[in-house]
Structure formats: C-alpha cells, structure tokens
Amino acid sequence: MKAAAAPSVNNARVMWIEETGIGDIASVGGKNASLGELSRSLRSAGVSVPEGFATTASAYRAFLEANALVPRIKELVADYRSGQSTLRQAGAAIRELFLAATFPEDTAADIREHYRALCRRAGEQQVPVAVRSSATAEDLPDASFAGQQETFLNVAGERAVLDACRRCYASLFTDRAITYREIKGFDHLDVALSVGVQRMVRSDVGASGVMFSIDTESGFPGAVLISAAWGLGETVVQGTVNPDKYQVFKPLLANASLNPVIERHVGAKERKMVYSHGGDARTKMVETTPHERSSLVLSDPEVVLLARWAAAVEDHYGRPMDMEWAKDGITGELFMVQARPETVQAQKTGSTFRTYRLRQQGRLLTAGAAIGDSIARGPACVIRDAKDIEDFVDGSVLVTRMTDPDWVPVMKRAAGIVTDHGGPTSHAAIVSRELGVPAVVGTRNATEVLANGAAVTLSCAEGEEGHVYEGLLDFAVEEVDMATLPATRTAVMVNIGSPAAAFKWWRLPAAGVGLARMEFIINNLIRIHPMALVHPERVADPEAAALIEDLTRGYPDRREYFIDVLATGIAKIAAPFHPKPVIVRLSDFKTNEYSHLIGGGAFEQPEENPMLGFRGASRYYSEQYREGFALECEALKRVREHIGFSNVIVMVPFCRTVGEADLVIKAMADHGLVRGEAGLELYMMCEIPANVVLAGDFARRFDGFSIGSNDLTQLVLGVDRDSEQLAALFDERDPAVTTMIAEAIGKAHAAGIKIGICGQGPSNHPDLAEFLVDQGIDSISLNPDTYLRTIPIIAAAEQRLGKQA
C-alpha cells in the first residue's frame, strides 16, 4: 500500500483558509489547500472565494489518539480484507467508532473560536456554513477521490459545526471511500482528514455548478466546460439533475470585446436543493418551476466571467482543473468554492489516436450525454436503488437512475453505464471517465425502456450524444500513431458537419476545415425553416406552429433563435481548428429538403427535379428567401465579429452564372458581409461545368474555389447522384470529370487564387487523391474517419512526383 502524503509538519489544529496554500496538502488536504491557494494568489485575478477556516491533519490524528481508534480500525480493515466481514459491515463499524468519539478539548475550543470569528466577520450571530471534508489524499494529479467524503450544508451554531466535523471524519470510511483507496493502493491510516468550514453562499436561492478548464470528453484544451443548475451545487456534483451546459473558447477570452461562448444548452433541471427549516435535515429537494426549467441559469457575462476564472486557475496551477462555483441569489455575486486537478484527460499522453465505429445499425432505445468515446455492449443490468447494488452482474451494462459515489464498487466492473439523471460534469460522469468505462448519462428514461437482461450496445463514438441500441452490434476499433504520419505539401483539411463531433477530431493535424456544412446545424439543431421564423403568421399547420413555439421558448424574437443556434454551432466547429481556416458553406438545401423543416410546407413549392432546382446561390437574392438568407448572414457576422472566429471563410454553393455571383455578393454586402472587410474571404464551390468554363471570370469575384466532386460528376456525366439504377455510372474518376477538375485547377492558379476539393471523391478513392496531387491542387478536404489512412497515400504520391513537403 502506498502512503497518500507525508505526515503533516504543521501542528496547528485550525487555520484560516487564506493562511494555507497548495504546499499545505499534507496538513489541510487537497480541497482546502487549493481554496487557500485561490484565496491567497488569485484574488488579484478577480477570483472570489468564500471566507472560512480548516481543521488540520494534526487535529484529525489527535482525535484518533484521544479516542484510541487506530487499533480498532486496523482490526476492522483486516477483517474485511480476510473476508471475515463485508465491506458494508466494516465501514459501518468504523464510522460508528468516530460518531461515538469526542474532540480533544483544545481542538474543540479552537474550532469554536474560529467559528465565532467567522460570525463576527459576517456580522451574524450564527452564520450558516458549509462543512466539507478534505482528505490529504484527494485532488491529487493521479486520483480525484471525487465525492468520496461527505459535505454538510447550511450548518449554524457551534455545536452543529462540531457535530458536522465529526461526521466528516467518519465519512473517511464510507464504503465508497474504502473501496476507492483499495483500488488506488492508499493505506487507510496514512490518509488524514481536514475539515473546511466556509461561509455559505446563498446559492439555495441562486445557482451553482461545476466547471472544467478542458473539454472532459475529447480532451480539447481550448474549451471551458460549465454545468449549472438552480439551488445548491450537490445536485450537479451528484448527478441528480440534468444541468444547463455552456462551453467557452479560452484563446479568445483575453479580448474583452468578444463573447466567445460557443455552446448554450438548457438542461431539464427538474429539481433543486434548498435549505430546510425545522427538523434534522438541513437541506431538501424541491421541484423547480416551469420558468426555471426552461430558462438558462447563467447570462453570457456570467459564463464568460467564470471561464476567465477557470483560465486563471489553470494558468496558476499549470494544468487542467476541475472546479465548483456558486452564485449568491441575494447579492448576485459569483464565488469559486473548489478547485482540484482534472485527473482523466490531463493524464492522456502520447500521439496514439483511437477511433470506434459501429459496423451495424440497430434500433435506438434511448440517448443522453456521451461520457468517453468508445463503444460497449452486453446485457443490461437494471438496478434502481443502491440497496440492490449486490445484484449487479459483472461485465454487464449498469442501468440506474443515477450513479453516486456509493456505486463505485460496481461501476469499475461494468462494461458500460447508463443513467436517467446527470450531466457531463456530474460525479457519475467524472468517475466513469476515470475508470475508463463508457457511459450515457441523463437519458431521463433508461430504467423504464431498457429491460433487465436485454442485450444492448452503448455507443459514445457518435459525438456528444451517446446512444443505446438494441442488440449486440458489431463495431470496429482503429488505432493510429499520429507521430508516424508523414508531412505533406498539399494542405489536408477535414469536412465537418456536426458541431457535437468537431471536438472529437481536434488532435488530427489538419490544416483546417475544408467544408463545414450549414445544413447539418439547420436540420438537426434548429429544425425550423428560417422563413417560418421570419413570418410565423404564414404557418397554418397547428402542429408545426406548436413545435416552433416550443423550440423558440426563451427567445422573444424568433429570428434570434435561428441566428443564435447557427452562430454557436459554427463557432463550435471552428474552435478546435482555430486559427486555421474554416470554410463554411452557405445553406444548400433542395426544395424537398427545405419543405421537411418545421413550417417549411408554407414556403416551398414542389419541384420536378429539386437537384437542379431552386437551391444554392439562386435562393440568396430572391424575394422568396431573401429574409431567410439575412439570418444566415447575421449568424456568420456574429461568429466572426462578436464571438471572435475571424478565421471563418464563407463559401457560396451552386452558383450558376457570373451574373448570379454578383447578385449574391451584393446581397451578402447588404447584410453586413463585405468581401475584404475585417479580413473576410469569400470562396465559391466549383461544382457546375459553367464554373470551370468561366473559371477566370469567377476568380475575379472570389478568393478561392473548392471543387464539389459530387455535383460536378453528376452534371458532367448527366447521372443523378441519388439514382440507384445509375450508381455504377457515377464515378468521379471518369476521364470527363478529371479533365474538368484539371482545367479548374489550372485556371484557378492562372488567376492567382487557391483551389481545393471538398467532395467525397478523395475520401473514397485513393487514386483520385493521387491524381489531384499530380495536378497541384492546393488542399484536399477529407472526411475525418478517412483522414488518417489517406494522408500516407497523399504523401506517397507527392514523393513519387517530387512534390514533397
């Protein structure tokens, strides 16, 4: 067994938190030492920490000695290890020893005096405090010990404070804490406990939550992840509610004129924890109001302030951090109430990139937040209550309402975990990551829809949303060492459609995003036809009108809903590749696709051949869609100028004539997107034969081309790309198509502009990638899952042709 920390050399029994620092872990534990460090070193950065004091490891050891507890604890632990008693029996017996013991008088007097002084500082007779455990082995870089010991909230009065301190001591031997130390190899008696006593922040009438200075799923270091819920913070930490989620892009925080919030998600927040008055319980759970459930907990300025604190804390410690915050509902003040090292993503080193991919499709049973990025399968083991935890079957998929720290002993034996409640920063999510067990949390209905014993597949490999499918589905695992990837002269970019999936690929050494599809965000996140938001009075379908009302709740101006969701979606795609170029294509739905959006039937006319109909550039300047296009432009302007991603390039699709190009460029300028202003570059999709024939004329109007091989092949060969009967004829490598591609590349270079390709061709056909290299194309944009295997092909082609990087 390894020791947690050297014995404390500080013989003081109680210290003010601001007197401690990170060098005092052996004396006051990781949690209190970190709070002291924040108080002492980061106030100048604006970080606010509630006042308080901490008992020391010396006080804990004096408590053990005065009550002669060590020999008895050793006996009970030995009985458990030898099998003479169960974990539950040993833990209960040890805790009872603590609860029956008393503090040495000098320690008790010191705690009383510090509490009185805290009351004087607060100007209250009995100031309410939070009493938190801080073990000398917790919050270490290689072990979080998250939630292993107890916290007591809304404690008031000297006697109550002393009782809470004693209970914190006892919680050093909860079943979950004993199990965790056994797993990590810490000697139980080498771990001491400090108790932090801090003035309560009135988050019971405000809000609280958790934040990380790193994306907890992908490990992307450029994001701050914040979870928030109404009331006291235990609901978020324990995972008993589905909280709001916010993400902020750290590199842009230094610019005070920007608002780099790249995601806002309204959680269900069905309940909140508040103070209880009367009886033994100091807190209670209550239902939230409909307004609280549908409202965001934090404003953008509050989100940005917390993110700046997170960045400051990370800079101070020199490593990613896991933090807790609280908002006082009376004063509106924000406070940092805990900071500790992030222990999962920060430990991942090396350049190996592993991807999981389902090879089969299955019926979707439920979905929630994805924890991890792998796939697991097995029989579902549905356990609704901790009292039945011993019914768990090793190697099965644990399905429960929530996985609080009491579940750790079985979590590590599960193939996967599915919960009804909790968010990506809940205790269940943190421990699942640390154990390396994939989990889908916050499904809201898993225990109802998943049958005990039924075969299921849990997939966290499809973006931020995790899915649970019926049956045991086949899947593939691919592992590549990126250190072995060759350099290329050709800029190799990626095609990204889903904001949720973008962070998954941040480790790829891509030269940027060659194609970000706006349609994915509109279809999957916004879901409403833009014109239905501009003219809701024209939506006659009552069901569609009700859906629009529901989705836009919280947005007084429904147009703002479209702009906001589209802007943050684009920003999230741009973030992991900043400051490299991110080429965002304007919407290119066909009329049949637009009509399927909510409310779309009121604004779209049926067409015989939508593929060649009212799509792309022709929409942007027409009276039929001009107001909808204005929303797209406003979203792009916000991404570039307000959120701060000036690396976003705007690309025009399906532009049939030079005259049409002029009309689109004017329409964009009318809506505030002027080529050349604020560094704005405009690209055009080169996907119509006319684009190639008149490439010189188009090149005078745009800064670059991107070849769309799908549409170009369709139009050169006259083959409907959606026709199953003609599928054998659809080939981007046909000489007629490659001749057009070669001509486009030559004319673009003659005009002095860049040209790349973003169609499916190079991802599907390595020989086409070689051809493009031979023609001297500037960039090739690939689907992310084909990126790693196509890079060597491009490099080999460059070497054969003497075009090495």
Side-chain angles (χ1 to χ4, degrees):
M1 301 291 285
K2 60 183 178 181
S8 173
V9 296
N10 189 332
N11 292 319
R13 301 294 170 88
V14 183
M15 301 173 67
W16 289 107
I17 284 176
E18 64 264 27
E19 295 174 344
T20 68
I22 204 61
D24 297 307
I25 290 177
S27 181
V28 296
K31 188 181 300 180
N32 288 332
S34 181
L35 285 170
E37 188 74 15
L38 294 175
S39 298
R40 201 164 63 180
S41 304
L42 287 167
R43 287 196 184 276
S44 60
V47 178
S48 298
V49 179
E51 291 183 299
F53 60 89
T55 67
T56 65
S58 293
Y60 173 77
R61 294 192 172 95
F63 184 93
L64 293 182
E65 184 178 350
N67 293 279
L69 298 184
V70 171
R72 186 65 184 129
I73 291 172
K74 285 182 177 179
E75 289 176 16
L76 291 165
V77 170
D79 288 347
Y80 161 59
R81 288 178 179 162
S82 67
Q84 294 182 49
S85 68
T86 65
L87 171 64
R88 185 170 294 179
Q89 289 169 337
I94 296 172
R95 292 192 297 275
E96 190 57 41
L97 293 176
F98 279 92
L99 296 177
T102 58
F103 279 96
E105 185 49 42
D106 56 347
T107 303
D110 218 352
I111 292 172
R112 291 191 194 98
E113 180 49 44
H114 278 75
Y115 177 70
R116 290 170 194 153
L118 190 61
C119 291
R120 290 194 295 271
R121 290 185 182 187
E124 295 185 41
Q125 217 170 14
Q126 291 190 336
V127 63
V129 292
V131 181
R132 292 186 168 93
S133 307
S134 180
T136 58
E138 72 179 356
D139 300 342
L140 302 177
D142 63 345
S144 73
F145 282 75
Q148 298 304 315
Q149 283 78 50
E150 298 290 354
T151 290
F152 300 94
L153 304 176
N154 194 31
V155 179
E158 295 173 18
R159 181 179 298 177
V161 169
L162 282 167
D163 181 61
C165 289
R166 183 186 298 105
R167 291 181 180 278
C168 283
Y169 282 179
S171 75
L172 191 57
F173 288 90
T174 58
D175 296 356
R176 60 188 182 245
I178 294 170
T179 300
Y180 199 84
R181 288 194 296 274
E182 290 282 311
I183 293 170
K184 290 292 183 179
F186 286 97
D187 188 293
H188 296 288
L189 288 168
D190 279 334
V191 179
L193 194 99
S194 164
V195 180
V197 179
Q198 283 181 286
R199 183 178 176 183
M200 278 294 295
V201 178
R202 289 301 306 273
S203 55
D204 61 307
V205 290
S208 49
V210 175
M211 64 179 171
F212 291 83
S213 64
I214 189 172
D215 182 62
T216 53
E217 297 313 315
S218 68
F220 175 53
V224 173
L225 174 64
I226 301 172
S227 292
W230 303 112
L232 302 170
E234 302 308 298
T235 57
V236 179
V237 175
Q238 294 174 3
T240 57
V241 300
N242 298 331
D244 287 353
K245 175 185 173 185
Y246 309 83
Q247 282 192 316
V248 184
F249 187 57
K250 275 191 299 192
L252 298 178
L253 281 169
N255 188 333
S257 67
L258 299 177
N259 183 47
V261 179
I262 60 175
E263 182 178 3
R264 302 175 203 85
H265 174 76
V266 180
K269 309 183 295 290
E270 302 100 331
R271 298 183 298 165
K272 64 180 178 179
M273 182 182 285
V274 298
Y275 292 163
S276 177
H277 301 286
D280 293 333
R282 298 186 179 92
T283 60
K284 63 180 179 180
M285 297 293 291
V286 298
E287 299 292 316
T288 50
T289 66
H291 177 72
E292 286 174 324
R293 294 175 194 179
S294 62
S295 300
L296 286 167
V297 169
L298 296 171
S299 66
D300 274 7
E302 289 170 332
V303 170
V304 170
L305 176 61
L306 286 173
R308 288 201 171 103
W309 287 4
V313 172
E314 180 182 71
D315 288 345
H316 180 73
Y317 283 97
R319 57 174 300 118
M321 298 294 288
D322 166 2
M323 294 149 282
E324 294 179 29
W325 59 270
K327 178 182 176 180
D328 192 303
I330 296 173
T331 66
E333 294 175 281
L334 290 167
F335 293 91
M336 185 88 77
V337 295
Q338 192 174 138
R340 55 192 167 231
E342 192 276 339
T343 58
V344 179
Q345 293 294 345
Q347 289 191 72
K348 292 185 178 180
T349 57
S351 58
T352 300
F353 192 87
R354 178 178 293 177
T355 60
Y356 292 76
R357 176 173 51 85
L358 283 172
R359 283 178 166 157
Q360 290 179 283
Q361 290 185 329
R363 185 168 72 92
L364 181 65
L365 301 176
T366 190
I371 307 302
D373 56 8
S374 60
I375 297 173
R377 59 189 182 180
C381 187
V382 182
I383 302 178
R384 293 180 173 82
D385 196 288
K387 66 181 175 59
D388 301 317
I389 203 167
E390 293 178 2
D391 295 337
F392 179 73
V393 179
D394 287 5
S396 61
V397 175
L398 173 63
V399 182
T400 187
R401 293 189 176 97
M402 53 172 279
T403 52
D404 64 26
D406 287 326
W407 294 78
V408 172
V410 299
M411 290 172 72
K412 65 187 179 70
R413 309 199 312 264
I417 297 166
V418 187
T419 71
D420 289 343
H421 306 294
T425 58
S426 65
H427 174 272
I430 293 170
V431 173
S432 295
R433 290 188 199 98
E434 187 169 337
L435 296 175
V437 178
V440 177
V441 302
T443 64
R444 305 181 72 177
N445 65 352
T447 56
E448 298 172 8
V449 301
L450 301 182
N452 191 51
V456 297
T457 298
L458 181 158
S459 174
C460 295
E462 301 166 85
E464 289 181 341
E465 186 172 77
H467 301 131
V468 182
Y469 297 102
E470 184 178 54
L472 302 179
L473 304 182
D474 187 30
F475 64 92
V477 183
E478 185 175 355
E479 191 168 289
V480 175
D481 185 353
M482 289 187 291
T484 66
L485 288 177
T488 61
R489 177 201 62 82
T490 309
V492 185
M493 308 173 84
V494 287
N495 300 328
I496 299 286
S498 165
F503 279 19
K504 177 181 178 181
W505 307 105
W506 74 269
R507 285 187 172 90
L508 293 180
V513 177
L515 175 63
R517 299 178 182 90
M518 193 180 282
E519 300 88 62
F520 185 97
I521 301 172
I522 296 172
N523 191 55
N524 292 277
L525 301 182
I526 297 172
R527 299 174 54 199
I528 304 171
H529 194 292
M531 291 299 291
L533 296 167
V534 177
H535 291 291
E537 73 282 357
R538 290 169 57 184
V539 179
D541 179 2
E543 186 176 345
L547 277 171
I548 292 170
E549 177 70 27
D550 183 55
L551 288 170
T552 60
R553 186 172 286 114
Y555 291 89
D557 183 345
R558 288 174 172 172
R559 293 172 298 183
E560 176 60 23
Y561 167 75
F562 185 96
I563 296 166
D564 180 48
V565 177
L566 181 57
T568 52
I570 293 170
K572 193 164 184 185
I573 290 173
F577 302 97
H578 181 273
K580 297 171 184 175
V582 173
I583 302 171
V584 178
R585 187 177 69 187
L586 295 164
S587 65
D588 191 25
F589 281 127
K590 290 76 178 174
T591 50
N592 58 322
E593 295 167 335
Y594 261 120
S595 65
H596 289 149
L597 294 172
I598 298 169
F603 302 94
E604 301 295 332
Q605 301 299 319
E607 291 185 298
E608 288 294 327
N609 189 349
M611 192 71 77
L612 295 178
F614 188 44
R615 60 174 287 200
S618 60
R619 281 186 170 263
Y620 309 149
Y621 56 87
S622 74
E623 284 302 313
Q624 187 174 329
Y625 188 74
R626 180 178 55 81
E627 292 170 295
F629 182 61
L631 304 184
E632 294 185 31
C633 291
E634 180 58 36
L636 285 161
K637 187 175 174 65
R638 183 172 299 181
V639 170
R640 288 178 46 83
E641 299 175 17
H642 185 60
I643 301 176
F645 289 101
S646 57
N647 57 318
V648 165
I649 295 168
V650 181
M651 183 158 67
V652 178
F654 223 77
C655 187
R656 294 172 169 94
T657 70
V658 173
E660 186 167 69
D662 291 333
L663 289 171
V664 170
I665 291 168
K666 182 181 183 304
M668 292 178 70
D670 290 343
H671 299 309
L673 291 175
V674 180
R675 180 188 175 197
E677 283 191 8
L680 175 63
E681 291 186 67
L682 296 185
Y683 278 32
M684 185 191 77
M685 290 287 291
C686 187
E687 56 189 342
I688 301 171
N691 300 150
V692 179
V693 173
L694 298 178
D697 293 328
F698 283 108
R700 287 192 287 274
R701 292 158 171 82
F702 294 96
D703 301 291
F705 292 157
S706 185
I707 298 168
S709 57
N710 293 344
D711 270 317
L712 187 61
T713 301
Q714 173 178 244
L715 296 172
V716 169
L717 298 180
V719 175
D720 183 347
R721 57 192 262 195
D722 291 336
S723 170
E724 293 182 10
Q725 291 176 298
L726 301 177
L729 293 174
F730 188 91
D731 190 346
E732 300 97 321
R733 299 164 296 175
D734 187 278
V737 180
T738 56
T739 298
M740 294 292 276
I741 290 174
E743 184 178 341
I745 294 171
K747 287 182 175 179
H749 288 162
I753 68 168
K754 293 180 178 180
I755 184 167
I757 186 167
C758 62
Q760 290 283 115
S763 296
N764 296 337
H765 307 296
D767 53 338
L768 180 60
E770 292 186 47
F771 167 78
L772 294 166
V773 169
D774 187 31
Q775 297 302 311
I777 198 160
D778 297 301
S779 65
I780 296 176
S781 194
L782 304 166
N783 295 335
D785 58 350
T786 65
Y787 182 96
L788 294 170
R789 63 174 177 263
T790 309
I791 283 276
I793 295 169
I794 294 171
E798 290 179 347
Q799 189 171 15
R800 283 195 300 273
L801 297 165
K803 297 181 178 181
Q804 294 98 323

